Amino acid sequence: MIAGRTLSSRLLLGTGGLPSLALLPQVLAAAAPGMVTVSVRRTSSQAEGGLLDLLSAAGVPILPNTAGCTSAREAVLTAELAREALQTEWVKLEVIGDETSLLPDAIELLEAAEQLVRRGFVVLPYATDDPVLARRLEDVGCAAVMPLGSPIGSGLGLLNPHAIEAVVAAVSVPVVLDAGVGTASDAVLAMERGCSAVLAATAITRADDPVAMAAALRLGVEAGTLARSAGRIPRRVIARASSPMAGLIGAEAS
Amino acid sequence: MTITLNGEQVPLEGALMLADLISQRYGEPRGVAVAVDEAVVPRGSWLSYALVPGQRVEVVTAVQGG
């Protein structure tokens, strides 16, 4: 549940990097994502819209992003264009501060988030795994926060699971693990650490078999969600037998 | 007398409405949005929006990403 809207799945799918748009329907079927992100770019020719047709046929809600923007000004305009083009107030807000690391620019991000909330957007900001920034984003009215597990496209997973837990503890809005997921176990871990959802793009779209990985991540998110609610055992530094000692053969009768 | 359309210089001969520019270039596009000089022009206003030389027009749509 984000901004009063119940999503059908805790896996969100990014569409960037698929070798062919023709694969998208199968990936969508295997991932069954709650939302799908798209980017906003200059239109190049007539009769584009194949992507939107596929997404609308699949009935999956669209979450436009501001990928590639490097300032609050650019991100706000891109979000405004996305709202006009796609008729949705929802936006995954990305404001990149460094072309090499693709890490968010926290200052521009917060500024853009504040402006967009004021203009009626449902803002889901891509952020660092910083609980202080997460709280500031919540304070300006963001509907969720999306900390990175590791840099975009790196597949390094959750480099700092404790920081992700700290973000979860710091805010009351949903936390969506964004960026860095490489395989299903990363999605499991994110959910076990308390995230409400996982957004994955490259992990699926650049896998050798995107359809199989889409299914794996869906199951990973489900497994992690179940494990989180089941309550894991405390970690112990010494062994604890799971079989009873009573009735062991050769022992004195009691 | 030109405008800039998605980064490309386009000659502007006489009065041209934004709606005409879009239909000449893109037909009847769905899922697009237009900004002129960094301000969104809602689709409902294209018909009455007269372009002025020097303006920068951006026409965008959704692509795979993110």
Side-chain angles (χ1 to χ4, degrees), chain A residues 92 94 125-127 146-150 152 176-181 197-200:
Chain A
K92 177 189 159 187
E94 277 188 51
Y126 165 62
M146 306 181 73
L148 56 85
S150 49
I152 292 173
V176 181
L177 194 281
D178 186 7
V181 169
V198 169
L199 194 155

Side-chain angles (χ1 to χ4, degrees), chain B residues 12 15-19 36 45-53 55:
Chain B
L12 192 64
L16 185 66
M17 294 311 209
L18 181 57
V36 179
S45 305
W46 294 357
L47 271 174
S48 56
Y49 192 103
L51 290 164
V52 175
Q55 283 184 321

